[in-house]
Amino acid sequence: MTLPDPGLGSPTEAPTTPRGDDRRQAGGDPDRWLLWTRWLGWATLVANTVLVVTGGAVRLTGSGLGCPTWPRCTEDSFTPHGAYDVHSIIEFGNRTLTFVLVAIAFATFFAALGTRRSRLIRYAVVLALGIPLQAVIGGITVLTDLNPWVVSLHLLLSLAIISLSVVFLRRIDQPDPAAARGPVAGLAWATMLSGWVVLYIGTVVTGSGPHAGDADSPRNGLDPLQVSQLHADAVFLFIGLTIGLLFAVRAVALPAESTRAVSWLLGVQVSQSGIGFVQYFTDLPVVLVGFHLLGAALIAAVLTWAVLAVYLPKAPAPAPAPAG
C-alpha cells in the first residue's frame, strides 16, 4: 500500500520567502532550512515505520534473544561473533537501526534550529529523546527475557513517535493553525482515542499469542480467544466512529483534504481488519502478522493525519485576482 502525501506538503514546497534582511537575521535562508526539515521529518516517519517492521521480524523469527544481553550483544562483545547464529544477526541488525534513527534525529533537530521556529524545535527535541528511550526499553525487554508487557510498551512508543512525526510535518506548513470547535472536532478526538485503544489491545493480544520472540519467553497469561474478541469489539467501534466522522466531515463541508484523510483512514482500517481476521483463522502465519504490524504503523500515521485534517483544517487557497 502506498500512502499518499497526507496533506503535509510536498518535499519541494516552501513557504513564502522572507526579505533578505530577515534571512540574515535568521542565520540563513529559512526556505532552505524548511526544505531540509520537511525531508528529515519524512525520514523520521519512514525510519520509525521500518523499525516497527524489523522489530516484528525479530520477534516472528524467534530472534528476540539472539543477543542475550544489553547493551552488549554478548557478555564479551557489542557484536555477535563465534558460535552465534542467524538469530544473533537478526537481533543485532535491528539494534543497529538505532544509530540510523539517532543520526536522523540529530539532523532533524539542527534543521529545525535553522528554521527559528520554537514549536518545530520542541517537537524535534521530543522526537530525538524518543530514540534513546526506545533503546532503553528495548534493552529492558531483553533483560526481562521478552516480558510481553515491556514488549508492548516498546511497540507503543514506536507508534507514538510515528504519530508525532506526522504532527511535526503538519506544523511545517501550519505554524499557527486555527483549531476547529464543535461536535465534529469532538468526534475526531473520540476516533483518535478509540484508535489508540485498538492499538494497545492489539499489543495485549500479541502478548497472549504464540509469537513470543523466543521459545522460552513468557506470555501474559490472558486467554487469546477472549482478548482477541475484545480487540475485535474495539475495532468495530473504531471503524464505526470513522464512518460517522466521514459523514460529519462531508455534512459540514470541511476542506477536501479532511474528507480525503478520513477516507484513507477508513481504507487502511478495512485492510488491517481483513488481515487481522485472516491471520486469526489461519493460526497466525508470520507473513500476515508482519503485514499486520506494518498496518499498525500505518494506522498510527493516517489516524493522526485524519484528526489533524479535521481539527486543524487548512485554510482554502485564496481565489486568483480577476484579470484586468
Side-chain angles (χ1 to χ4, degrees):
M1 179 184 297
T2 302
L3 200 62
D5 179 356
L8 305 175
S10 165
T12 58
E13 294 176 356
T16 304
T17 305
R19 297 177 179 177
D21 291 343
D22 295 334
R23 290 183 178 184
R24 286 190 292 271
Q25 291 173 5
D29 184 350
D31 289 356
R32 186 175 181 181
W33 284 115
L34 284 171
L35 177 65
W36 277 106
T37 303
R38 185 176 289 112
W39 274 110
L40 290 164
W42 277 103
T44 300
L45 174 60
V46 171
N48 281 280
T49 301
V50 170
L51 183 65
V52 169
V53 175
T54 59
V58 169
R59 180 168 57 83
L60 295 171
T61 58
S63 305
L65 295 177
C67 288
T69 189
W70 186 87
R72 295 174 182 267
C73 182
T74 71
E75 293 293 341
D76 303 317
S77 173
F78 283 96
T79 61
H81 62 85
Y84 288 90
D85 56 15
V86 65
H87 295 305
S88 301
I89 302 299
I90 293 173
E91 163 65 1
F92 181 73
N94 186 60
R95 290 189 183 190
T96 58
L97 279 178
T98 300
F99 298 102
V100 176
L101 293 172
V102 167
I104 293 173
F106 269 105
T108 304
F109 171 70
F110 285 115
L113 279 179
T115 68
R116 306 292 181 177
R117 289 189 185 177
S118 59
R119 191 184 297 273
L120 285 181
I121 294 170
R122 289 196 297 269
Y123 283 138
V125 169
V126 175
L127 286 169
L129 292 177
I131 306 306
L133 178 59
Q134 183 73 302
V136 170
I137 295 175
I140 294 173
T141 64
V142 172
L143 298 176
T144 58
D145 294 328
L146 308 181
N147 180 289
W149 300 107
V150 182
V151 173
S152 172
L153 180 61
H154 195 39
L155 174 58
L156 288 170
L157 179 57
S158 286
L159 297 179
I161 293 173
I162 288 170
S163 180
L164 184 60
S165 299
V166 175
V167 177
F168 179 80
L169 283 164
R170 186 83 180 189
R171 287 298 193 180
I172 293 175
D173 293 322
Q174 282 186 292
D176 296 299
R181 296 288 187 267
V184 177
L187 181 57
W189 284 112
T191 305
M192 170 71 89
L193 177 61
S194 68
W196 279 98
V197 169
V198 166
L199 292 173
Y200 174 70
I201 298 176
T203 67
V204 177
V205 173
T206 299
S208 69
H211 300 298
D214 187 83
D216 298 323
S217 296
R219 302 282 73 203
N220 60 25
L222 299 176
D223 184 345
L225 177 61
Q226 292 183 355
V227 74
S228 295
Q229 183 61 58
L230 178 62
H231 183 52
D233 293 340
V235 169
F236 290 139
L237 174 62
F238 184 28
I239 293 177
L241 288 171
T242 303
I243 292 173
L245 181 61
L246 181 58
F247 278 108
V249 165
R250 289 178 172 175
V252 300
L254 284 179
E257 187 219 0
S258 304
T259 301
R260 185 169 66 253
V262 179
S263 298
W264 265 91
L265 175 60
L266 183 60
V268 175
Q269 287 172 334
V270 171
S271 300
Q272 179 76 332
S273 299
I275 294 172
F277 277 108
V278 172
Q279 72 172 11
Y280 179 80
F281 289 108
T282 55
D283 296 325
L284 303 175
V286 295
V287 172
L288 286 182
V289 176
F291 276 109
H292 204 52
L293 279 167
L294 174 60
L298 293 178
I299 287 287
V302 181
L303 173 59
T304 307
W305 169 34
V307 172
L308 290 175
V310 174
Y311 182 65
L312 303 174
K314 290 185 176 180

Coordinates of all heavy atoms in Angstrom, one line a residue, residues 13 16 34 36 39 71 147 171 186 190 196 205 224 237 244 270 282-283 294 300 321:
E13 N 8.0 21.8 -1.7 CA 7.3 23.1 -1.5 C 8.1 23.9 -0.4 O 8.8 23.4 0.3 CB 5.9 22.8 -0.9 CG 5.0 22.1 -1.9 CD 3.7 21.8 -1.3 OE1 3.5 22.0 -0.1 OE2 2.8 21.3 -2.1
T16 N 6.4 31.2 1.9 CA 6.7 32.5 1.4 C 8.1 32.9 1.8 O 8.5 32.8 3.0 CB 5.7 33.5 1.8 OG1 4.4 33.1 1.4 CG2 6.0 34.8 1.1
L34 N 13.6 25.0 6.0 CA 12.3 24.3 6.0 C 12.3 23.1 5.0 O 11.7 22.1 5.3 CB 11.2 25.3 5.6 CG 10.8 26.3 6.7 CD1 9.9 27.3 6.2 CD2 10.1 25.5 7.9
W36 N 14.9 21.2 4.2 CA 15.6 20.1 4.9 C 14.8 19.5 6.0 O 14.8 18.3 6.3 CB 16.9 20.6 5.4 CG 18.0 20.6 4.4 CD1 18.5 21.7 3.7 CD2 18.7 19.5 3.8 NE1 19.5 21.3 2.8 CE2 19.6 20.0 2.8 CE3 18.6 18.1 4.0 CZ2 20.4 19.1 2.1 CZ3 19.4 17.2 3.3 CH2 20.3 17.8 2.4
W39 N 12.1 17.2 4.6 CA 12.7 15.9 4.1 C 13.1 15.1 5.4 O 12.8 13.8 5.4 CB 14.0 16.2 3.3 CG 13.8 16.4 1.9 CD1 13.9 17.6 1.2 CD2 13.4 15.5 0.9 NE1 13.6 17.5 -0.1 CE2 13.3 16.1 -0.3 CE3 13.0 14.1 1.0 CZ2 12.9 15.5 -1.5 CZ3 12.6 13.5 -0.2 CH2 12.6 14.2 -1.4
P71 N 23.7 -3.6 27.3 CA 23.7 -3.1 25.9 C 24.7 -3.8 25.0 O 24.7 -3.6 23.8 CB 24.3 -1.6 26.1 CG 25.1 -1.7 27.3 CD 24.4 -2.7 28.2
N147 N 9.6 -9.9 28.3 CA 8.4 -9.8 29.1 C 7.3 -9.1 28.1 O 7.6 -8.1 27.6 CB 8.6 -8.9 30.3 CG 7.3 -8.8 31.1 OD1 6.4 -8.1 30.7 ND2 7.2 -9.4 32.3
R171 N 3.1 20.7 11.2 CA 3.4 22.1 11.7 C 4.4 22.8 10.8 O 4.5 24.1 10.9 CB 4.0 21.9 13.1 CG 3.0 21.5 14.2 CD 2.0 22.6 14.3 NE 1.2 22.4 15.5 CZ 0.2 23.2 15.9 NH1 -0.1 24.2 15.2 NH2 -0.4 23.0 17.1
G186 N -14.9 17.1 18.2 CA -15.0 16.2 19.3 C -15.1 14.8 18.8 O -14.5 13.9 19.4
A190 N -12.6 11.6 19.6 CA -13.1 10.3 20.0 C -12.6 9.2 19.1 O -12.2 8.1 19.6 CB -14.6 10.3 20.0
W196 N -6.3 4.5 19.5 CA -5.2 4.1 20.3 C -5.6 3.0 21.3 O -4.7 2.2 21.7 CB -4.7 5.3 21.1 CG -3.7 6.1 20.2 CD1 -4.0 7.2 19.5 CD2 -2.4 5.8 19.9 NE1 -2.9 7.6 18.7 CE2 -1.9 6.8 19.0 CE3 -1.5 4.8 20.4 CZ2 -0.6 6.8 18.5 CZ3 -0.2 4.8 19.9 CH2 0.3 5.8 19.0
V205 N -3.1 -8.6 22.8 CA -3.4 -9.9 22.0 C -2.1 -10.5 21.6 O -1.9 -11.8 21.8 CB -4.2 -9.6 20.8 CG1 -4.4 -10.8 19.9 CG2 -5.6 -9.0 21.2
P224 N -6.2 -16.0 24.8 CA -6.1 -15.4 23.5 C -7.5 -15.2 22.8 O -7.7 -14.2 22.1 CB -5.2 -16.4 22.7 CG -4.4 -17.1 23.7 CD -5.3 -17.2 24.9
L237 N -15.9 -0.5 17.0 CA -16.2 0.8 17.5 C -15.3 1.8 16.7 O -15.8 2.9 16.3 CB -15.9 0.9 19.0 CG -16.0 2.3 19.6 CD1 -17.4 2.9 19.5 CD2 -15.5 2.3 21.1
G244 N -18.8 7.5 11.0 CA -19.5 8.7 11.4 C -18.8 10.0 11.2 O -19.4 11.0 10.8
V270 N -10.0 -1.0 7.0 CA -10.6 -2.2 6.4 C -9.6 -3.2 6.0 O -9.7 -4.4 6.2 CB -11.5 -1.7 5.1 CG1 -11.9 -3.0 4.3 CG2 -12.7 -0.9 5.6
T282 N -6.2 -18.5 10.4 CA -5.2 -19.3 9.8 C -4.0 -19.6 10.7 O -2.9 -19.8 10.3 CB -4.7 -18.7 8.5 OG1 -4.2 -17.3 8.7 CG2 -5.7 -18.6 7.4
D283 N -4.2 -19.4 12.0 CA -3.2 -19.7 13.1 C -2.0 -18.8 13.0 O -0.9 -19.3 13.2 CB -2.8 -21.2 13.0 CG -4.0 -22.2 13.3 OD1 -4.8 -21.8 14.2 OD2 -4.0 -23.2 12.7
L294 N 2.9 -3.8 10.1 CA 3.0 -2.6 9.2 C 1.7 -1.9 9.2 O 1.7 -0.6 9.2 CB 3.4 -3.1 7.8 CG 3.4 -2.0 6.7 CD1 4.4 -0.9 7.0 CD2 3.6 -2.7 5.4
A300 N -1.4 4.4 12.9 CA -0.9 5.4 13.8 C -0.7 6.7 13.0 O -1.0 7.8 13.4 CB 0.3 5.0 14.5
A321 N -6.9 36.7 -8.3 CA -7.5 38.1 -8.6 C -7.9 38.1 -10.1 O -7.3 37.6 -11.0 CB -6.4 39.1 -8.4

